[in-house]
């Protein structure tokens, strides 16, 4: 991925798509589900970037937003599959695989941006965000 | 604490910011944080002086570099503080923070707790309904996320501010950042509690939440007492802190794990 050419269309599309997919899968409170998913992802990306900057890391703000947005692609695929499936075990497996894929994609960028002694502090929130999105994907029925 | 030294300085013209040093002539070089009322800088190491702006204005509020001082912690420091927050017995959390309070703990512990309450709250509600009525199906109530966010973020932001203003009004020195830091770490014990509250036995749930609530409240109260240097007037504050934390614990049990 050409990291220097960041753009926000991709992340925007992925976030909206994930929100829509989760909203379609929900049987009640659809608009609230979309609102929660969109807010979580959009605010989450901004806050994660700010977190790295505050810990004294060196990243470009929009580059990081762009990367975190594009790394949502596996979770989008996972959410799409989970929308069409109803088996909980299968959903869990799919979400775990896509979660691992997303984390593996985001890890090199995030870990190289901060000091070695603060790496875990920068990576934990990324992990938290992806796990919460994964949980939403499994839990929404 | 050395903070009492600046009570003697003429500081009414430095609206919203506090000079962090002892004598007046070095005031200009160290003193005013551009961060307005938010960054309450107590005594930091003198090398921070060159980052600060020479006049008192609000430009620092929008620049990241004026907040990095509150995130100047390494992984092992954070883990150390986290583990010490699980033992309510020592009253030395403020000594442990020293001159380096961090807001990292506050932000990410509260966020983790919000997620845990929403996730495990839904699971636990389902489990306990399943015990009484075999035919219930899983339903995910996304309102739990809203309630958790409002409750936890609101509590952890507002209560330290309230205590800060009250204690300042009553004359003792208090540091908002340290209060935020301490209250943030005091919530960390609720994270494994949320996991344990999945057990669908009602009595056990109440025991667990009362134990956790007591531990957390003792942590807050003991640290607050040792920081303020408890006198009789301030005893009300300590009791209020204890009760507020217990109220939060009860709220968590009643709302998310009915």
């Amino acid at each position: 991925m050409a990291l220097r050419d960041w753009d926000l269309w991709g992340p925007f599309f992925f976030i909206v798509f994930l929100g829509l997919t989760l909203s379609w899968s929900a049987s009640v409170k659809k608009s609230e589900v979309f609102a929660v998913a969109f807010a979580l992802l959009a605010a989450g990306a901004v806050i994660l970037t700010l977190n790295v900057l505050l810990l004294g890391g060196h990243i470009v703000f929009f580059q990081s937003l762009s990367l975190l947005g594009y790394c949502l692609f596996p979770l989008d695929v996972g959410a799409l599959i989970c929308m069409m499936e109803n088996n909980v075990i299968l959903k869990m497996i799919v979400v775990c695989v896509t979660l691992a894929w997303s984390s593996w994609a985001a890890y090199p960028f995030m870990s190289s941006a901060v000091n070695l002694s603060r790496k875990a502090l920068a990576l934990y929130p990324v992990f938290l965000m992806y796990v919460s999105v994964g949980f939403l994907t499994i839990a929404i029925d | 604490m050395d903070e009492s030294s600046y009570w003697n300085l003429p500081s009414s013209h430095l609206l919203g910011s506090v000079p962090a040093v002892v004598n007046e002539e070095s005031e200009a070089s160290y003193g005013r944080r551009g961060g307005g009322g938010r960054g309450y800088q107590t005594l930091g190491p003198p090398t921070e002086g060159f980052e600060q702006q020479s006049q008192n204005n609000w430009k620092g509020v929008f620049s990241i570099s004026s907040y990095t001082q509150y995130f100047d912690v390494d992984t092992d420091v954070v883990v150390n503080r986290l583990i010490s927050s699980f033992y309510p017995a020592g009253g030395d959390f403020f000594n442990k923070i020293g001159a380096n309070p961090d807001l990292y703990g506050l932000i990410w512990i509260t966020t983790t707790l919000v997620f845990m309450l929403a996730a495990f709250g839904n699971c636990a509600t389902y489990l306990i309904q399943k015990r009484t009525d075999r035919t219930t199906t899983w339903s995910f109530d996304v309102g739990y996320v809203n309630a958790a966010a409002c409750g936890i973020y609101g509590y952890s932001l507002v209560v330290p501010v309230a205590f800060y203003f009250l204690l300042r009004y009553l004359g003792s020195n208090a540091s908002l950042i340290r209060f935020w830091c301490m209250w943030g770490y005091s919530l960390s014990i609720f994270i494994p509690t949320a996991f344990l509250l999945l057990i669908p036995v009602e009595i056990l749930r109440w025991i667990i939440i009362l134990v956790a609530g007591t531990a957390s409240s003792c942590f807050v109260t003991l640290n607050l007492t040792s920081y303020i240097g408890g006198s009789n007037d301030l005893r009300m504050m300590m009791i209020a802190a204890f009760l507020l934390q217990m109220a939060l614990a009860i709220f968590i049990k009643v709302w998310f794990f009915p």
Side-chain angles (χ1 to χ4, degrees):
Chain A
M1 189 189 321
L3 275 183
R4 294 206 185 277
D5 300 331
W6 56 265
D7 77 297
L8 292 181
W9 279 114
F12 178 71
F13 173 74
F14 287 141
I15 292 178
V16 170
F17 182 76
L18 191 53
L20 281 176
T21 314
L22 288 175
S23 173
W24 275 323
S25 320
S27 45
V28 290
K29 290 190 180 179
K30 285 175 185 284
S31 50
E32 212 174 312
V33 168
F34 178 82
V36 167
F38 188 87
L40 171 68
L41 290 165
V46 172
I47 293 174
L48 257 58
T49 313
L50 283 178
N51 185 48
V52 171
L53 286 174
L54 284 166
L55 283 172
H58 302 291
I59 49 171
V60 180
F61 184 76
F62 287 107
Q63 202 177 64
S64 165
L65 285 189
S66 174
L67 181 115
L68 285 171
Y70 276 109
C71 285
L72 281 177
F73 171 69
L75 284 167
D76 273 0
V77 170
L80 199 57
I81 298 177
C82 287
M83 183 172 76
M84 301 185 288
E85 263 300 323
N86 256 334
N87 187 356
V88 175
I89 305 291
L90 188 65
K91 276 184 173 182
M92 282 201 212
I93 297 177
V94 165
V95 165
C96 283
V97 168
T98 54
L99 195 80
W101 183 2
S102 281
S103 310
W104 174 78
Y107 176 85
F109 179 72
M110 282 304 199
S111 66
S112 63
V114 280
N115 220 344
L116 195 61
S117 57
R118 301 182 181 188
K119 203 164 74 161
L121 296 184
L123 286 174
Y124 168 72
V126 180
F127 173 71
L128 182 67
M129 184 174 90
Y130 286 157
V131 163
S132 58
V133 172
F135 178 81
L136 271 181
T137 311
I138 299 181
I140 302 234
D141 57 341
Chain B
M1 308 266 301
D2 292 328
E3 293 160 284
S4 56
S5 57
Y6 53 70
W7 286 112
N8 301 325
L9 298 173
S11 59
S12 55
H13 59 285
L14 296 174
L15 192 67
S17 67
V18 179
V21 296
V22 180
N23 48 4
E24 285 192 38
E25 50 264 45
S26 26
E27 206 176 290
S29 61
Y30 289 117
R32 308 86 175 277
R33 270 269 152 210
R38 279 197 65 189
Y40 184 96
Q41 176 66 15
T42 55
L43 286 182
T47 50
E48 284 184 347
F50 65 85
E51 279 180 32
Q52 304 177 18
Q53 301 168 20
S54 58
Q55 76 264 30
N56 176 27
N57 58 22
W58 286 87
K59 250 183 3 180
V61 175
F62 295 114
S63 112
I64 294 274
S65 54
S66 60
Y67 296 115
T68 48
Q69 51 167 327
Y70 303 125
F71 288 82
D72 192 17
V73 280
D74 291 339
T75 310
D76 47 353
V77 172
V78 172
V79 171
N80 189 4
R81 292 178 183 182
L82 206 56
I83 294 185
S84 77
S85 76
F86 277 87
Y87 299 114
D92 63 344
F93 191 74
F94 284 105
N95 292 339
K96 195 183 271 285
I97 302 182
N100 192 15
D102 73 298
L103 293 179
Y104 182 90
L106 172 75
I107 294 178
W108 293 110
I109 291 176
T110 49
T111 309
T112 309
L113 189 60
V114 165
F115 166 62
M116 295 275 165
L117 288 180
F120 292 142
N122 272 300
C123 293
T125 312
Y126 169 71
L127 282 174
I128 216 167
Q129 275 174 353
K130 195 82 174 169
R131 283 195 107 206
T132 54
D133 173 14
R134 289 261 150 198
T135 59
T136 50
T137 53
W138 165 266
S139 73
F140 181 75
D141 183 7
V142 84
Y144 277 40
V145 178
N146 291 339
C150 292
I152 301 297
Y153 283 137
Y155 180 88
S156 62
L157 285 176
V158 168
V159 167
V161 168
F163 271 89
Y164 169 71
F165 280 123
L166 256 151
L167 284 165
R168 282 301 216 140
Y169 177 73
L170 290 175
S172 55
N173 52 354
S175 156
L176 184 57
I177 302 294
R178 282 178 172 74
F179 278 9
W180 265 331
C181 183
M182 197 262 295
W183 253 279
Y185 279 101
S186 77
L187 292 178
S188 69
I189 205 171
F190 290 120
I191 296 177
T193 310
F195 182 68
L196 283 176
L197 283 174
L198 279 176
I199 305 173
V201 179
E202 192 67 17
I203 300 292
L204 210 56
R205 279 188 180 181
W206 275 110
I207 295 178
I208 292 174
I209 195 67
L210 286 172
V211 168
T214 315
S216 191
S217 310
C218 287
F219 177 78
V220 169
T221 314
L222 284 172
N223 281 311
L224 209 53
T225 314
S226 65
Y227 182 66
I228 301 299
S231 63
N232 273 332
D233 295 336
L234 302 176
R235 195 155 295 173
M236 275 279 105
M237 300 282 119
M238 309 306 149
I239 297 180
F242 187 90
L243 289 177
L244 278 171
Q245 198 86 355
M246 280 307 286
L248 181 74
I250 307 282
F251 166 72
I252 288 177
K253 164 70 179 71
V254 167
W255 195 279
F256 299 102
F257 301 92

